[in-house]
Structures are given as C-alpha cells and as structure tokens.
Amino acid sequence: NMKELGVYPGSFRPFHRDHLARVETILTAYPNQDLIIAVADQCRSPKKYDFICGTDALETTSLVIDSERLGNRVRVQLATIDSKIPPGVCRIFTGSERTIKVLELLRERGAWKGEIVRLDNSGIHGEQIRKLISEGDPYWKEFVHPVAVSYIEGLKG
C-alpha cells in the first residue's frame, strides 16, 4: 500500500503559522499522501533581514512539524539549488510563480509528469516577519509558532 508523495518547497525563513495552515490543508485534502517540506539550503538573495537561513530554517520547520505531531506524514529536508524532484513525487504544492514556471518547463520537457497545486500565497511573508524581528517589534511572535519563536530568540541571543 504505497502512499502518494507530495513536495512543498520553499525557503521557510521562518516557517510561520500560514505555512503550517497550508501543510494542514494539504494533509486534509490528500489523505493518501505523505509530504516532504523541501527547505532551501541557502538565502536566495541575501538581504538586510536574512538571519534565518538554511539549517536554521530547517530546524525551525522541523520543530514546528514535530511539536504539531505531523511527523508521521511529513518529512522536512534541505533542498539544494540543484536538487532533483525525488522519484515518486506526484504533486508539488507552491504559491511561487517562479517555481510554477520551472515546474511547467520540466513537464513540457517530459522530465516530470506530476501535478502542480497552486497554493494561496497571501498573508504574511517571511521577509515581513524578519523585518519585524530586526526592528525589535515583538509583534512578529503573533505569526510564528511558539517553538520556532524560542529557537529564533536563541539565534538573536
């Protein structure tokens, strides 16, 4: 009884409440599917507020998934820029127009035959959260799961 496999790629800097809500929606909509959260291993464009990258993004994401007891269906892993789509992936979930264009190109070339599921990307974005953190505005904690808040506060030391 092989389960279907989906991937939710992103930078997750940090993994916030909207990301968690999307994961829960995906798991509910696709009960016969496991999910890989593919965390970008680097900051795409190092900007002013980029102090949560790669392994810290992976760690905050993993902490939230574990604390929400979703680990039986969700695996969190780092994805490098040259990562290939893992074998058996039938769906990729994204709200990123750039990612959608790349996936459509792969499908046109026959390199991947899966389904692209467009996520609602409205709501808070990581850059806004990082800006609030860097400005010392405690309001950022409203958008981030408590276990990730603790980790990020540890980073800021």
Side-chain angles (χ1 to χ4, degrees), residues 33-128:
Q33 172 187 272
D34 286 341
L35 187 65
I36 296 171
I37 298 177
V39 179
D41 76 336
Q42 61 195 30
C43 290
R44 266 199 311 264
S45 50
K47 292 187 190 111
K48 192 172 165 187
Y49 315 116
D50 283 350
F51 47 85
I52 302 164
C53 287
T55 53
D56 290 322
L58 178 81
E59 194 57 34
T60 54
T61 304
S62 296
L63 285 167
V64 173
I65 294 303
D66 291 347
S67 74
E68 292 294 317
R69 293 182 166 70
L70 297 173
N72 61 326
R73 290 191 55 202
V74 180
R75 189 165 78 238
V76 181
Q77 64 187 50
L78 275 184
T80 58
I81 201 76
D82 57 359
S83 288
K84 303 286 181 262
I85 297 172
V89 171
C90 56
R91 267 175 220 100
I92 296 183
F93 300 87
T94 183
S96 159
E97 291 305 318
R98 179 192 297 155
T99 301
I100 290 167
K101 283 187 177 81
V102 169
L103 293 171
E104 286 172 344
L105 202 62
L106 286 173
R107 284 204 313 206
E108 282 170 28
R109 294 177 180 165
W112 182 63
K113 293 171 175 51
E115 178 188 357
I116 301 165
V117 180
R118 191 179 290 264
L119 297 177
D120 176 1
N121 225 10
S122 62
I124 192 79
H125 286 266
E127 190 169 353
Q128 295 164 291

